[in-house]
Amino acid sequence: MYRQMNKNNFIYLRGLKHAENAVFCVDNGQKSYFDPQFQCYVPFSSGQQVKRSVLSTMTEILGTTPAPTTFVFDVKDKKLGEGEVLSICDPNYPDQLLGGWMRAVKEGKERTVKRRSPLSISAMHPLHPLLVTKWSENVTFDRSDRPEVHKVKVRMGGTELTEEQIEALLEGSDRSLFRKWIPNNYRASGLFVYDIAIDLRTLFCVSTNQYEPEISTEMVEQLKTNGWILSKNVFGECLILPKEQRDKIIPVLAKSILNWRITSNQSRTFSLMETLAVAISGNANTVAGAIRAKLIDDSEKPKAKPIIDETAGADVFITLPCANYIVTETESADALQNAEAKLIEMLSDFDYENQL
């Protein structure tokens, strides 16, 4: 009993990334929240965005198609209104198995099924509020170099003005009509961390409980036909993905957790978002201690110092770029490969088929 209670059912990981002049989400240019202790707004990326980035990287490496989604709209008074977003709820898709799902049809026309993701993912947030910055800039969409090629339309009250009317409107003004001003574009730079908890008990297991269903009875039979293994975990009877398929997903999952990045459709905001360090452990407290910041009390202005602590109890992997920002002596070119190998080992060692 003592051994069972102390079995490692979770893997905890903290990653430290550097972002330079980046945009995490196009919401006034950049999402942010207010830090009450240091009285400032700090940029962040939502956990949902991080999760989507991880799963997108995974499906790309696997070469699989993401699970299809159905978007439902309601028409009322000849206008489209928002309806449900319906998941296929099929664990044969790796992004569904690891990402979770929910299918709740309006007015209870179908039984609701839902699966909590075995990956709990935090927002990508500042290592410390004093180690990041957020600012705004005004940018332009400029085509003023070739006015003879590009066209301009000016509307007044829904009516398009003639060239003569436009010239009269601009008289006495130096306004260019071939340049669109885009004000208040927020950008973010600094050191950011993301935390992931992997629940090994449910990672490759789908519950067959029909009182709180994760899948339909039809899907239960389909999975059995596909070779899924009937077993039990702490939550009850479940079906487990066969080892052959687990062994294909595990190395890709490990690589995706370490090598994801947020991409933007705005090329001017591209950032490598390089990973500086990774801490991995079966204890959440040790990963928090391994990658942290220390507040330095200064009479004029408080400062924060980033710290990588290899004695905190977690396995720590430090990449070469980390030395740009933190004093360290053990950075290595193969740090991420070593972190990946550690993750694969921990994911593979868990006995998914004999949890009880």
Side-chain angles (χ1 to χ4, degrees):
M1 175 64 71
Y2 180 81
R3 286 181 61 193
Q4 181 67 19
M5 289 177 64
N6 285 272
K7 184 174 67 172
N8 241 347
N9 293 321
F10 288 85
I11 298 173
Y12 299 96
L13 178 144
R14 167 165 283 191
L16 174 65
K17 281 182 173 286
H18 170 252
E20 185 69 40
N21 195 33
V23 172
F24 301 148
C25 183
V26 183
D27 175 20
N28 286 329
Q30 174 59 54
K31 282 186 175 181
S32 63
Y33 65 87
F34 185 74
D35 184 272
Q37 182 175 358
F38 294 93
Q39 298 289 298
C40 60
Y41 282 93
V42 294
F44 77 102
S45 171
S46 69
Q48 183 67 22
Q49 188 175 27
V50 175
K51 178 181 174 183
R52 181 172 180 178
S53 299
V54 171
L55 294 177
S56 294
T57 302
M58 184 187 71
T59 54
E60 287 171 12
I61 297 172
L62 282 171
T64 58
T65 303
T69 300
T70 300
F71 294 88
V72 180
F73 295 88
D74 298 312
V75 178
K76 188 175 182 180
D77 297 329
K78 296 184 178 180
K79 293 183 179 180
L80 284 176
E82 296 293 335
E84 309 96 303
V85 177
L86 301 179
S87 170
I88 195 173
C89 305
D90 186 347
N92 289 301
Y93 289 92
D95 62 315
Q96 289 260 287
L97 178 64
L98 302 183
W101 59 67
M102 181 170 180
R103 184 182 179 91
V105 177
K106 193 175 180 180
E107 299 176 355
K109 294 178 180 178
E110 291 182 17
R111 192 173 185 190
T112 298
V113 293
K114 55 186 175 180
R115 169 175 166 78
R116 183 186 298 273
S117 171
L119 306 179
S120 296
I121 302 178
S122 77
M124 187 169 73
H125 56 93
L127 176 63
H128 190 282
L130 299 179
L131 293 173
V132 299
T133 185
K134 172 178 174 281
W135 73 97
S136 68
E137 63 177 352
N138 294 331
V139 298
T140 64
F141 184 82
D142 191 347
R143 294 296 182 270
S144 58
D145 57 331
R146 300 183 67 189
E148 76 283 358
V149 173
H150 305 294
K151 298 179 181 179
V152 169
K153 290 184 179 181
V154 179
R155 293 187 296 263
M156 181 181 292
T159 302
E160 188 174 327
L161 301 186
T162 65
E163 288 190 15
E164 292 77 12
Q165 290 173 316
I166 295 174
E167 290 175 4
L169 184 67
L170 294 176
E171 187 174 349
S173 169
D174 63 354
R175 173 74 183 270
S176 170
L177 298 187
F178 293 100
R179 186 183 297 122
K180 287 285 188 180
W181 292 96
I182 310 172
N184 298 325
N185 281 261
Y186 286 94
R187 303 288 179 261
S189 290
L191 301 181
F192 297 85
V193 291
Y194 67 98
D195 301 305
I196 297 180
I198 305 174
D199 188 345
L200 296 171
R201 302 169 301 175
T202 61
L203 184 61
F204 296 117
C205 304
V206 179
S207 173
T208 61
N209 179 13
Q210 290 301 303
Y211 292 105
E212 290 288 337
E214 288 191 355
I215 51 177
S216 65
T217 53
E218 293 80 10
M219 183 58 68
V220 169
E221 296 306 315
Q222 180 185 326
L223 295 181
K224 288 179 179 178
T225 302
N226 291 348
W228 287 56
I229 303 158
L230 189 62
S231 186
K232 287 185 178 180
N233 60 14
V234 68
F235 305 105
E237 188 179 89
C238 61
L239 285 166
I240 301 168
L241 185 70
K243 186 178 186 304
E244 181 182 354
Q245 296 179 52
R246 297 200 303 266
D247 288 346
K248 291 180 181 178
I249 292 176
I250 283 174
V252 176
L253 174 60
K255 183 180 290 292
S256 302
I257 286 173
L258 295 170
N259 293 285
W260 65 272
R261 60 179 31 81
I262 294 168
T263 57
S264 171
N265 60 358
Q266 302 178 65
S267 60
R268 65 182 181 273
T269 62
F270 175 75
S271 171
L272 287 173
M273 293 190 188
E274 67 272 24
T275 301
L276 305 182
V278 176
I280 303 172
S281 176
N283 185 327
N285 293 313
T286 59
V287 296
I291 300 176
R292 66 183 192 275
K294 184 173 183 178
L295 185 64
I296 301 173
D297 190 11
D298 189 298
S299 57
E300 295 183 2
K301 187 178 181 181
K303 300 176 182 178
K305 177 183 178 181
I307 295 174
I308 305 295
D309 189 345
E310 297 179 75
T311 68
D315 290 293
V316 180
F317 307 88
I318 306 170
T319 68
L320 295 179
C322 188
N324 290 340
Y325 312 100
I326 304 172
V327 176
T328 177
E329 300 296 332
T330 58
E331 67 272 16
S332 65
D334 59 355
L336 289 183
Q337 291 93 322
N338 293 335
E340 189 178 317
K342 180 62 180 179
L343 262 182
I344 292 172
E345 176 189 342
M346 296 177 75
L347 289 166
S348 300
D349 283 349
F350 189 77
D351 192 349
Y352 298 97
E353 297 173 9
N354 301 288
Q355 295 190 38
L356 296 180

